[in-house]
Amino acid sequence: MAGTPRIAVVTYDPRAEQHKDRDLPVLVDALREAGADAVAVAWDDPGVDWAGFDLALLRSTWDYSWRAGEFTAWADRCAKATRLANPVGVVRWNADKRYLGQLAEAGVPAVPTRYLAPGDPVALPTDGEYVVKPASGAGARYAARYPAGERDAAVRQIERMHREGFTVMVQPYLSGIDTHGERALQFFGGRLLHASVKGAVLAPGTPYDADKVAHPDLRRWEPTAAELAVAERALAAVPGDAELLYARVDLVTGPDGEPCVMELELIEPNLFLGLHPDSLPRVVRAVLAAAG
């Protein structure tokens, strides 16, 4: 039908495994019911003609962090062929978690982070628990929590990550996560959509290369005024003037008892629509508007 928007809902190819995005078929069906020609496609499918879509909506490209260079090169190509949401400049900036340092420089409360690129000397905290993880990562892959006395194990992890080309992040483990969890504030179409809270992901002694439950004990959450204010400050600090169709701000409680940014998810954040089914109509309206 003439005038029907064509929307690529961009995901990953699970190969032989079960697809982990349970919201994907729900969103595709809802877009179709609203009058769009929507289809789920893998970002690395060489047979896709991206110019044939009015919008490429990044949803669950959850293998991108292990293939960051390949993914950002694809995003460049896709953005030249059609509208990409979020915009490619945002994707490039957000694909490297060194953005946390930039947020801190802009005055946004963020988890203090030290970055160790391959070849850098390994400097680790001498007291208190800390976390080691990659600057390009998702789902707690290659992330581990260490007490100060386990330096050798942390060094072995860092050496492996450096051999594989990863820049390493070292952060203090904020014990408020164990008490208050990690809050995720989801924005869509420029406004707060909903919020969730989950329990701590990194248990003491769990190997960095072990499979982890990315969202344990996930439940609905009503954000406080302080949490909303920090989230909005983080979004305002994103460089450039590109409009964000969606964003998720992950917050934890800092040592001062106030919320601070753990991550700013602007590429492929899980929407948790299964937990918030009432948000689906707003998401569909915003996506249709973005598709023009």
Side-chain angles (χ1 to χ4, degrees):
M1 182 173 63
T4 300
R6 294 206 69 218
I7 300 172
V9 184
V10 188
T11 184
Y12 73 105
D13 182 353
R15 272 73 182 185
E17 299 179 0
Q18 184 177 4
H19 204 293
K20 296 180 180 180
D21 185 2
R22 297 179 180 177
D23 290 339
L24 184 67
V26 175
L27 179 57
V28 170
D29 287 347
L31 288 168
R32 289 173 177 169
E33 291 173 5
D37 180 5
V39 60
V41 290
W43 68 270
D44 58 352
D45 183 345
V48 176
D49 177 15
W50 299 102
F53 293 99
D54 299 297
L55 175 70
L57 173 68
L58 287 166
R59 280 307 327 123
S60 48
T61 55
W62 291 342
D63 58 348
Y64 92 87
S65 62
W66 257 213
R67 306 160 62 189
E70 184 183 351
F71 178 77
T72 52
W74 165 81
D76 282 332
R77 295 193 303 272
C78 183
K80 292 174 182 176
T82 187
R83 180 177 183 187
L84 179 67
N86 280 322
V88 66
V90 171
V91 169
R92 281 192 164 278
W93 179 79
N94 196 231
D96 187 332
K97 289 188 175 64
R98 280 178 282 201
Y99 67 74
L100 283 172
Q102 298 175 36
L103 291 180
E105 290 173 1
V108 178
V111 177
T113 305
R114 179 185 302 162
Y115 300 92
L116 304 176
D120 287 346
V122 176
L124 294 172
T126 56
D127 59 350
E129 287 189 293
Y130 58 92
V131 172
V132 174
K133 60 185 178 182
S136 175
R141 288 178 295 185
Y142 273 24
R145 169 182 172 184
Y146 293 100
E150 288 189 13
R151 186 179 190 280
D152 290 348
V155 169
R156 287 194 296 271
Q157 175 186 347
I158 292 170
E159 289 175 343
R160 175 178 175 181
M161 292 166 68
H162 279 173
R163 287 195 301 271
E164 296 185 16
F166 289 105
T167 291
V168 172
M169 303 168 62
V170 181
Q171 300 174 319
Y173 184 79
L174 300 182
S175 59
I177 298 174
D178 297 325
T179 305
H180 305 292
E182 181 178 328
R183 285 83 74 196
L185 276 62
Q186 186 80 54
F187 293 78
F188 222 99
R191 296 189 297 126
L192 180 70
L193 181 69
H194 55 237
S196 313
V197 62
K198 68 180 182 181
V201 174
L202 299 180
T206 302
Y208 69 91
D209 52 358
D211 289 335
K212 305 175 185 73
V213 178
H215 307 291
D217 192 26
L218 187 70
R219 57 195 187 278
R220 294 168 73 108
W221 180 255
E222 186 65 35
T224 66
E227 290 168 352
L228 187 58
V230 170
E232 290 174 342
R233 287 174 64 185
L235 295 177
V238 176
D241 56 1
E243 181 180 347
L244 299 176
L245 176 59
Y246 54 85
R248 198 182 81 208
V249 188
D250 293 342
L251 303 173
V252 294
T253 301
D256 59 358
E258 296 298 319
C260 64
V261 176
M262 171 71 80
E263 289 193 11
L264 180 57
E265 299 276 4
L266 306 179
I267 300 176
E268 34 64 81
N270 195 321
L271 295 178
F272 307 130
L273 291 175
L275 186 65
H276 301 274
D278 46 317
S279 294
L280 182 60
R282 271 190 55 194
V283 170
V284 168
R285 288 195 297 270
V287 172
L288 291 177

